[in-house]
Amino acid sequence: MEEQVSRIYGIHALEEALNAEMSIAKVFAQSNQQHPKVKALLNECAKQGATISYVPMEKLQKLAKGRNHQGIVANIAPVSFVSLETMIANATSNEKAPLFLLLDQISDVRNFGAIIRSAVAAGVNGIVIQKKGGAPVNADAVKTSAGTLFKIPICKVDHIKDALFHFQAEGIPIIAATEKGDQSVYDTDLKDGFALIMGSEGKGINPSVLKMVDTQVHIPIAEEVDSLNVAVASAVILFEAQRQRLA
């Protein structure tokens, strides 16, 4: 797959991108950067969830390929994020039961991309991620999702709890996938609309988030295996929901 992320060079270009509310995926900045304006721009990028990498001049020169970079090279993710209100409104405007996926700080970009691919294949209406702490929406995510990242609405929130409050206000049940879930996903009615939460690779779902959910489910697996990879687990649950809805 060809590179899917646009690259910009220089302080002014980065400033314009931020003003235009473009999504900054990653910024390469010259090591020991001290310029006040550059520091302010990097801080703003970090607030958006961009990855900041401080690299030597040689690296910047290689990335810029002769362009004037002023110590800054940034990748712009070609993804248009939507508001949670718009995502829900669009999904509930038809007769089909809506299905949403919330990712609680999935950090591995390969898992992130694989989850997106499964979500699109299973008919998920939208994905909610946090602005910080998770895998970046960048060229690697595009590649591992096989391009499906552009085919599903994605919403960024400050915290997953923000989304949960909104779903609850809309009357949309919240289901959490956890090894300690009290019922099997295969014994759970997934025909109606719901939002599924999947936790991070290392810590799972935040305990404070678990307290807010309506149902906790697990995937029955053989005793010889401790757990499933989060991308695999996501696919299992999403396609079980699809199976029930098509039955």
Side-chain angles (χ1 to χ4, degrees):
M1 177 182 291
E2 294 181 358
E3 181 71 10
Q4 297 286 334
V5 172
S6 301
R7 184 165 283 167
I8 59 175
Y9 311 89
I11 297 172
H12 183 62
L14 179 57
E15 188 174 36
E16 285 188 335
L18 289 171
N19 290 336
E21 298 183 349
M22 293 183 182
S23 176
I24 312 298
K26 187 169 185 176
V27 181
F28 298 92
Q30 185 178 344
S31 301
N32 302 316
Q33 184 60 252
Q34 300 298 325
H35 195 293
K37 188 171 186 178
V38 173
K39 283 187 174 182
L41 289 173
L42 294 178
N43 286 337
E44 185 59 31
C45 290
K47 288 180 182 178
Q48 288 191 8
T51 301
I52 311 296
S53 295
Y54 293 92
V55 298
M57 179 60 72
E58 292 78 7
K59 173 69 172 180
L60 290 172
Q61 299 285 33
K62 184 176 181 180
L63 291 170
K65 297 179 180 179
R67 299 177 180 86
N68 181 21
H69 56 74
Q70 299 175 297
I72 290 286
V73 175
N75 289 342
I76 307 297
V79 177
S80 297
F81 297 100
V82 302
S83 69
L84 192 56
E85 293 83 359
T86 298
M87 178 183 290
I88 294 175
N90 290 341
T92 56
S93 62
N94 55 57
E95 297 181 357
K96 292 183 178 180
L99 175 55
F100 303 96
L101 180 61
L102 295 86
L103 305 181
D104 189 5
Q105 298 184 305
I106 303 297
S107 59
D108 189 307
V109 70
R110 293 167 297 182
N111 285 334
F112 181 48
I115 289 171
I116 292 173
R117 189 174 186 179
S118 294
V120 173
V124 172
N125 296 102
I127 297 176
V128 179
I129 60 176
Q130 286 192 176
K131 292 180 179 178
K132 295 182 179 180
V137 182
N138 60 12
D140 289 335
V142 172
K143 184 176 181 179
T144 54
S145 75
T148 56
L149 190 148
F150 302 110
K151 300 179 180 180
I152 189 169
I154 297 179
C155 170
K156 279 188 175 184
V157 294
D158 291 326
H159 195 282
I160 289 297
K161 286 184 180 178
D162 299 333
L164 295 190
F165 285 125
H166 207 98
F167 281 121
Q168 289 174 337
E170 294 291 335
I172 298 172
I174 313 296
I175 296 178
T178 169
E179 299 167 20
K180 299 179 181 179
D182 53 5
Q183 65 186 66
S184 165
V185 64
Y186 303 120
D187 296 328
T188 304
D189 187 347
L190 304 176
K191 296 185 182 70
D192 296 326
F194 69 94
L196 171 67
I197 305 178
M198 302 300 298
S200 67
E201 295 88 345
K203 299 180 180 179
I205 299 173
N206 189 300
S208 63
V209 171
L210 274 178
K211 292 179 181 179
M212 297 178 61
V213 308
D214 299 294
T215 307
Q216 296 185 28
V217 301
H218 70 273
I219 300 172
I221 57 177
E223 294 180 357
E224 291 80 4
V225 179
D226 293 330
S227 63
L228 293 176
N229 168 276
V230 65
V232 174
S234 298
V236 169
I237 297 174
L238 293 175
F239 281 102
E240 171 60 16
Q242 185 186 58
R243 183 196 67 80
Q244 290 187 21
R245 294 174 181 201
L246 294 176

